[in-house]
Amino acid sequence: GIPHARVNLKHGMKVEALRHSRETCTACAGTILLEFAALSRLSGEPIFEVKAHAAMDALWKMRHRSSELMGTVLNVHSGDWIRRESGVGAGIDSYYEYCLKSYILLGDERYLARFNRHYNAIMKYISQGPMLLDVQMHRPHTKTRNFMDALLAFWPGLQVLSGDLKPAVQTHEMLYQVMQMHTFIPEAFTFDFQVHWGQHHLRPEFIESTYFLYRATGDHYYLHAGKKALKALQQHARVPCGYAAVNDVRTGKHDDRMDSYVLSETFKYLFLLFSDPADLILNIEDFIFTTEAHLLPLTLGVLGNHTMGARDQEDQVQMLDYMRSCPSPNKLFPETVRRPLRDLVTGVCPRISSPKRLRASDFQASNADHLRTVYDMGITMVSLGEGKVQLLHSFYNAKSPEDAERGLIFMQEMVELSKSNAIPNTQLQAVAFKRKGDTELHVLEAGPSHFGMELTKDMSVVQQAVYAQPIKLCSTLKNAKEVRDKIVIMERGECTFVDKARRAQSAGAVAAIVFDNTPNTSINNQQMFAMSGDGKDDVQIPVVFLFTKEAEQLMAAIKQQPTVELTLMSVSGLKERLERERADTTKTDTKSESKATP
């Protein structure tokens, strides 16, 4: 019963672009009932409303029965959830809207019951004061992202329609402050109200909520909010042929687009906000807005509905358990609700800075105090196996808001640190060898380490190689005698690079080569990096890293000639040495030719 996201009106789903279409969003599937019911009741053809009810029923059955929340993306054919994130913004927004508006237009109480059960869940799990934070539908206490998107700005307007004005005032005030901070509400913004996605597509949702709050409260504050939004459009989006979307609110650069909703919704709600109802040619109270701000007459609900089937048993709920009454705006005084939020957005700036905080460059995974500190900052470490670790940050796992802020800074520093670990070509190391019968020196490019001896200029190590036993060298070396005074070769994984190096050095190795444990990696398809240490300076031997493809070449050479000598030195130093040798050879050849000339 769930419709596809797109269909070709002439060829259906048989066109190539749609043939393999499987996914749709909850809002896509759940935002057709008003229009299809109107079509059925005006045309006398019940099939449209029947199909739309079937879609809503199918979605209702897919909710999580414990949390009463919905995901955002689902498989049309199997009914399985593809994305289980639950919020009130992109991908799900108008589904909740149509649950309530279907009751208002059609008088079908099952939709009011469904809306109220969803609404109670949203206010329990997703609403955090004025903010609305996405959660997992099946684990509603787990937040799924660190930002909010602009589409959730419709929510205060829907809350007004449902009669819950206080949280509507609070969320609208938060959004209004974000708008004033960035001129426009960015497409997405973080929990500390910084820009996450900088685009602004002239969306109508904030104006829509502003209009509904003004109509509900009569508070001229909302007229001023609308005036400020209109002024921003005139100053920053107006172009000779219309209004252009903003590519980035931080730069003000325009996009060459003006979506249809700018006229049908954004300017319509602005016009209605500043209009005197007596001057309109129709009574807005006799209509309901669709999600695209089209007006449907409420009289459609009394035309007779021949499409309603038997209700599911679970829809037979005690309506009084979910009914809400609209409070009198004369007693609400929106200003008293807004006042505690006055510095909500500006109050988080400037961002904190503490000289005592743990910096990413100082972090050591073996330091228990460091591990406790990152845990307090809301950061957890997930082992990916083979010695690799992933860091995950959650604002709500932090010990305090200040610790959470430090955690964000720490994660940003980690990203920059990982980028800095990508080394320039001037620091590349070389593993070179020449087998018997070879005329050319084979040179394999290798990565350096942040520990051990650094091979620079003419510094080099020349020796035969021996494989470590065990090959990953994360336990006691079994062939220590063979390793002494040799270059030891070992595999990445199971323990840190520096631990491997310490065991090799303890056995008397003169150098070490670590090769990758991931198939098909090569310096030609991977960014080379420097192996990290733990801050101690106890490793004195040089240690280099080879990706898999280069290591396979080395292993093939050793297999063919076990006594082959390897040369470890910097790539730049080796090139200079080879150039000098070629120059010396050229001079020698020239002298020989001169002597041989009669």
Side-chain angles (χ1 to χ4, degrees):
I2 298 173
H4 282 276
R6 295 175 180 83
V7 62
N8 185 294
L9 295 179
K10 183 176 181 179
H11 302 289
M13 301 298 295
K14 295 180 180 180
V15 296
E16 189 60 33
L18 300 176
R19 193 182 305 276
H20 304 293
S21 172
R22 295 290 184 272
E23 297 180 8
T24 190
C25 68
T26 307
C28 301
T31 313
I32 59 174
L33 182 52
L34 296 191
E35 291 84 354
F36 276 40
L39 181 58
S40 284
R41 297 185 183 211
L42 292 173
S43 68
E45 294 287 345
I47 187 64
F48 306 110
E49 187 172 348
V50 169
K51 295 297 184 182
H53 280 299
M56 293 295 278
D57 290 342
L59 287 174
W60 173 246
K61 291 176 182 177
M62 291 179 63
R63 77 195 186 283
H64 193 273
R65 302 303 176 92
S66 176
S67 69
E68 302 284 5
L69 295 173
M70 305 285 285
T72 54
V73 179
L74 56 112
N75 186 300
V76 172
H77 296 285
S78 67
D80 295 331
W81 287 109
I82 296 171
R83 292 186 58 182
R84 296 172 178 267
E85 297 93 336
S86 188
V88 298
I92 197 170
D93 46 1
S94 50
Y95 163 73
Y96 293 131
E97 179 184 0
Y98 270 40
C99 282
L100 179 59
K101 290 184 176 180
S102 295
Y103 164 71
I104 296 172
L105 179 65
L106 307 178
D108 190 337
E109 291 186 351
R110 60 179 163 166
Y111 290 112
L112 179 60
R114 293 176 184 181
F115 171 79
N116 279 319
R117 287 169 72 172
H118 284 318
Y119 186 83
N120 289 338
I122 291 166
M123 298 307 289
K124 179 179 180 180
Y125 299 118
I126 296 172
S127 176
Q128 302 288 328
M131 298 191 291
L132 297 157
L133 313 178
D134 283 17
V135 301
Q136 292 281 5
M137 61 178 286
H138 58 297
R139 291 199 300 269
H141 295 291
T142 302
K143 302 294 182 288
T144 61
R145 60 187 192 182
N146 66 342
F147 62 89
M148 295 172 275
D149 66 72
L151 287 171
L152 63 77
F154 91 102
W155 186 250
L158 190 64
Q159 289 181 306
V160 170
L161 203 59
S162 72
D164 202 5
L165 277 140
K166 182 176 180 179
V169 171
Q170 292 174 328
T171 297
H172 181 276
E173 178 63 18
M174 179 267 292
L175 292 165
Y176 184 33
Q177 291 184 32
V178 171
M179 186 197 81
Q180 293 178 92
M181 182 179 187
H182 300 293
T183 306
F184 295 106
I185 295 177
E187 190 68 4
F189 53 93
T190 59
F191 295 167
D192 57 351
F193 313 110
Q194 306 302 308
V195 174
H196 184 75
W197 295 328
Q199 305 94 329
H200 177 74
H201 300 312
L202 314 183
R203 294 195 184 277
E205 286 78 15
F206 176 73
I207 306 299
E208 175 186 358
S209 290
T210 303
Y211 165 70
F212 279 112
L213 275 165
Y214 177 63
R215 291 300 306 276
T217 65
D219 190 340
H220 282 224
Y221 179 85
Y222 297 109
L223 290 178
H224 290 293
K227 180 180 178 181
K228 201 170 191 70
L230 178 58
K231 189 174 180 181
L233 287 171
Q234 292 294 101
Q235 289 183 349
H236 303 287
R238 187 79 167 93
V239 292
C241 56
Y243 291 81
V246 178
N247 178 266
D248 194 318
V249 298
R250 291 163 292 197
T251 64
K253 182 181 177 181
H254 286 149
D255 263 343
D256 187 15
R257 61 180 283 184
M258 177 179 169
D259 294 88
S260 61
Y261 56 68
V262 178
L263 288 177
S264 66
E265 299 183 69
T266 305
F267 287 119
K268 183 184 292 182
Y269 282 120
L270 279 169
F271 170 75
L272 292 172
L273 175 63
F274 297 115
S275 297
D276 189 328
D279 295 334
L280 300 176
I281 61 174
L282 47 78
N283 184 1
I284 296 295
E285 301 294 335
D286 294 335
F287 295 83
I288 191 167
F289 288 98
T290 69
T291 193
E292 305 296 343
H294 302 307
L295 292 170
L296 294 178
L298 293 174
T299 52
L300 286 172
V302 299
L303 287 182
N305 183 357
H306 304 291
T307 65
M308 290 177 61
R311 297 183 186 177
D312 289 341
Q313 208 47 38
E314 62 183 336
D315 282 331
Q316 304 293 333
V317 296
Q318 294 295 322
M319 292 303 298
L320 289 177
D321 291 343
Y322 298 104
M323 294 298 288
R324 293 178 176 272
S325 59
C326 185
S328 168
N330 295 326
K331 296 180 180 179
L332 179 65
F333 297 118
E335 172 58 24
T336 63
V337 178
R338 291 192 300 265
R339 190 178 299 122
L341 305 174
R342 184 165 292 162
D343 298 320
L344 174 69
V345 172
T346 56
V348 301
C349 299
R351 295 190 174 199
I352 66 157
S353 59
S354 170
K356 297 182 180 179
R357 70 177 181 84
L358 176 63
R359 300 183 182 276
S361 57
D362 299 328
F363 174 70
Q364 297 176 15
S366 59
N367 187 312
D369 290 334
H370 288 185
L371 291 176
R372 278 193 294 271
T373 300
V374 297
Y375 181 79
D376 289 344
M377 293 190 293
I379 298 171
T380 54
M381 299 177 65
V382 179
S383 175
L384 302 179
E386 305 298 346
K388 300 175 184 177
V389 173
Q390 182 180 30
L391 299 180
L392 301 174
H393 179 258
S394 171
F395 188 92
Y396 294 93
N397 289 337
K399 191 174 181 180
S400 68
E402 291 77 15
D403 286 314
E405 182 72 15
R406 293 189 183 97
L408 285 173
I409 296 172
F410 181 87
M411 293 294 285
Q412 291 167 359
E413 289 179 348
M414 271 295 183
V415 171
E416 294 302 318
L417 190 61
S418 65
K419 291 178 181 178
S420 68
N421 277 342
I423 62 170
N425 290 335
T426 53
Q427 294 181 14
L428 283 174
Q429 302 294 293
V431 178
F433 57 89
K434 182 185 288 188
R435 294 166 298 193
K436 291 179 181 178
D438 287 343
T439 57
E440 295 288 334
L441 187 69
H442 295 271
V443 179
L444 305 175
E445 292 184 337
S449 63
H450 285 307
F451 53 87
M453 180 191 297
E454 183 180 5
L455 297 175
T456 60
K457 297 182 180 180
D458 274 344
M459 295 173 61
S460 64
V461 175
V462 181
Q463 190 50 269
Q464 296 176 9
V466 175
Y467 292 106
Q469 296 178 12
I471 189 64
K472 292 190 176 179
L473 198 49
C474 292
S475 57
T476 303
L477 193 65
K478 296 179 180 178
N479 59 335
K481 291 183 179 180
E482 298 175 30
V483 165
R484 178 170 295 278
D485 297 326
K486 297 291 193 297
I487 298 173
V488 64
I489 299 176
M490 45 201 177
E491 186 181 7
R492 179 182 188 177
E494 295 185 7
C495 60
T496 63
F497 294 119
V498 71
D499 284 340
K500 296 176 190 290
R502 288 192 181 106
R503 290 190 177 93
Q505 178 175 270
S506 297
V510 295
I513 299 172
V514 181
F515 66 89
D516 202 6
N517 57 352
T518 302
N520 301 317
T521 58
S522 169
I523 196 165
N524 298 317
N525 61 28
Q526 300 286 327
Q527 178 69 56
M528 183 53 79
F529 62 93
M531 293 179 286
S532 59
D534 57 8
K536 299 178 182 178
D537 296 324
D538 54 338
V539 177
Q540 305 300 322
I541 63 173
V543 185
V544 301
F545 178 84
L546 286 176
F547 283 119
T548 308
K549 289 292 186 182
E550 287 72 32
E552 288 171 352
Q553 297 179 48
L554 175 62
M555 293 174 185
I558 295 173
K559 183 176 181 181
Q560 183 178 345
Q561 183 184 335
T563 58
V564 64
E565 285 193 337
L566 309 183
T567 299
L568 306 189
M569 64 184 306
S570 69
V571 167
S572 58
L574 180 61
K575 286 181 179 179
E576 291 177 5
R577 177 186 291 184
L578 293 175
E579 287 171 0
R580 287 196 304 269
E581 290 177 356
R582 290 192 192 100
D584 291 342
T585 301
T586 302
K587 290 178 182 179
T588 302
D589 291 343
T590 302
K591 290 178 180 178
S592 298
E593 289 176 6
S594 299
K595 291 179 180 178
T597 302

